[in-house]
Amino acid sequence: MLPLALSIGDPSGIGPEILLEAWLRRDTNGLPAFYILGDPSLLASRAERLGLNVAIAETDPEGAVAHFSRSLPVCPLRNRLHDRPGSPDSANAAGIVEAISRAVQDTMQARAASMVTAPIAKKPLYDAGFDFPGHTEFLGHLSEKITGRKVEPVMMLAGPELRTVPVTVHQALAEVPARLSQDLIENTIRTVAQALSEQFSIPEPRLAIAGLNPHAGEGGAMGSEDAEIIAPAIERLQSEGINAFGPLPGDTLFHARARAQYDAAVCMYHDQALIPVKTIAFDETVNVTLGLPFVRTSPDHGTAFDIAGRGIARPDSLIAAIHLARKLADNRNSVR
């Protein structure tokens, strides 16, 4: 069975230590085999700093499974990383980007079953010339380069009790109404419906669609977008056989009885989607990128520079991301 490829993320954050902690809990949590694309010296240094007994094995993806039970498999990067917890440094940008790129390549070349990304911070990357808003957009770019086909990645936050998807992601709230379009909403929902069927093994997914404005526009009294953009998109999708319904008021969409009526909630903007799922299950929620030609998951939290190197970061979301990456890859393969 192929291992999972894990990118190290920003080494100044908690990525290295939650990767170390996840490997230490491999037996307790029944984790599938994985390897890290990172700097073996940095991981050894962070383990020593935290008093963690972790043997590091430099390897390639093909040797990862053989090492996994006894030592943490690490595929070395060409770009070295600096171990300065809590002090983000643009000098690490080349290694961070290399780790992500190589994880994509390994997954696309069937050297890894799927990929899991540790958290990155945007500012150090931007300072080094990184041209993408975040992980999701960069993964879409890499996929297009490899396949030659247009890729429109979609972010999903998947928790044990709730899955949410933002239609607009890294846009300022003031820009969201202008960014929304019927085509964007339709394409997002189609991607979600297909992924739920193929990767999450939900044959006939139910999709609740949130409105943009309070009370889903209150019949036009609180904005026209719900009636003029969102509702027509839903009608078009229903005509295609997709079980999408709404637009629904965001303030009544996430309580327990409402959640029982759908398999995922599609929301109009970032915080509308992320606040409820992180509130319900912050430590167990996973970021999943849909619409890619491979499976990618990630913890739902950021780099946490303020606690990096202190040994208090919890690996729970990363462990959940590893389990989900394995499950989605297996489900995806079973329908091919």
Side-chain angles (χ1 to χ4, degrees):
M1 183 177 290
L2 293 175
L4 309 186
L6 276 59
S7 63
I8 194 168
D10 192 315
S12 300
I14 62 172
E17 54 209 80
I18 61 174
L19 291 167
L20 292 164
E21 287 283 2
W23 181 81
L24 285 170
R25 303 183 192 191
R26 64 197 180 283
D27 294 331
T28 304
N29 289 277
L31 289 181
F34 61 81
Y35 62 91
I36 297 173
L37 289 152
D39 187 326
S41 298
L42 181 142
L43 286 161
S45 172
R46 190 67 63 90
E48 182 178 3
R49 175 192 291 266
L50 299 174
L52 302 177
N53 183 20
V54 178
I56 306 292
E58 294 191 26
T59 185
D60 55 20
E62 288 75 13
V65 174
H67 285 290
F68 186 74
S69 64
R70 304 181 307 277
S71 53
L72 175 60
V74 180
C75 296
L77 302 173
R78 291 181 294 274
N79 294 280
R80 297 295 299 273
L81 298 172
H82 306 285
D83 190 18
R84 302 190 186 101
S87 300
D89 188 344
S90 61
N92 285 324
I96 296 168
V97 171
E98 180 193 347
I100 299 167
S101 301
R102 286 178 54 185
V104 170
Q105 291 170 359
D106 285 354
T107 307
M108 291 291 291
Q109 294 169 2
R111 303 177 81 195
S114 56
M115 64 179 288
V116 181
T117 57
I120 61 172
K122 315 301 191 300
K123 180 64 164 57
L125 297 181
Y126 295 159
D127 289 345
F130 188 71
D131 292 329
F132 302 91
H135 254 135
T136 302
E137 297 82 1
F138 185 47
L139 292 170
H141 166 75
L142 293 174
S143 300
E144 290 183 9
K145 282 184 63 178
I146 294 172
T147 65
R149 297 191 299 271
K150 179 68 175 176
V151 175
E152 296 181 351
V154 170
M155 175 193 292
M156 171 184 280
L157 275 293
E161 299 178 41
L162 175 64
R163 303 181 190 94
T164 62
V165 173
V167 173
T168 63
V169 185
H170 295 120
Q171 280 86 36
L173 188 58
E175 299 171 1
V176 168
R179 172 80 172 120
L180 281 178
S181 69
Q182 187 172 332
D183 282 346
L184 177 62
I185 294 169
E186 290 177 11
N187 290 337
T188 300
I189 294 173
R190 290 188 188 103
T191 297
V192 175
Q194 182 177 358
L196 287 174
S197 175
E198 294 181 358
Q199 297 183 36
F200 288 82
S201 298
I202 301 173
E204 298 180 3
R206 305 163 299 166
L207 301 175
I209 316 303
L212 172 67
N213 298 294
H215 303 175
E218 193 75 68
M222 297 184 187
S224 61
E225 293 87 357
D226 298 275
E228 296 178 1
I229 300 175
I230 303 173
I234 295 171
E235 292 174 8
R236 171 79 63 82
L237 294 162
Q238 290 173 339
S239 72
E240 298 174 6
I242 294 175
N243 185 5
F245 51 94
L248 303 170
D251 62 346
T252 57
L253 188 55
F254 301 108
H255 61 79
R257 291 195 305 278
R259 297 198 304 272
Q261 305 305 310
Y262 57 81
D263 299 299
V266 178
C267 304
M268 294 302 114
Y269 55 93
H270 183 278
D271 285 7
Q272 188 182 50
L274 271 64
I275 288 174
V277 70
K278 289 189 177 186
T279 299
I280 291 172
F282 183 83
D283 292 315
E284 294 82 33
T285 296
V286 177
N287 185 340
V288 187
T289 306
L290 312 179
L292 297 172
F294 52 86
V295 171
R296 176 261 179 162
T297 67
S298 182
D300 73 338
H301 55 71
T303 51
F305 292 129
D306 58 322
I307 63 170
R310 295 170 55 190
I312 60 175
R314 295 180 57 172
D316 304 61
S317 184
L318 174 64
I319 289 170
I322 293 169
H323 278 301
L324 186 58
R326 178 82 261 173
K327 176 182 177 181
L328 296 184
D330 291 346
N331 290 346
R332 185 174 185 147
N333 290 333
S334 70
V335 300
R336 287 181 174 174

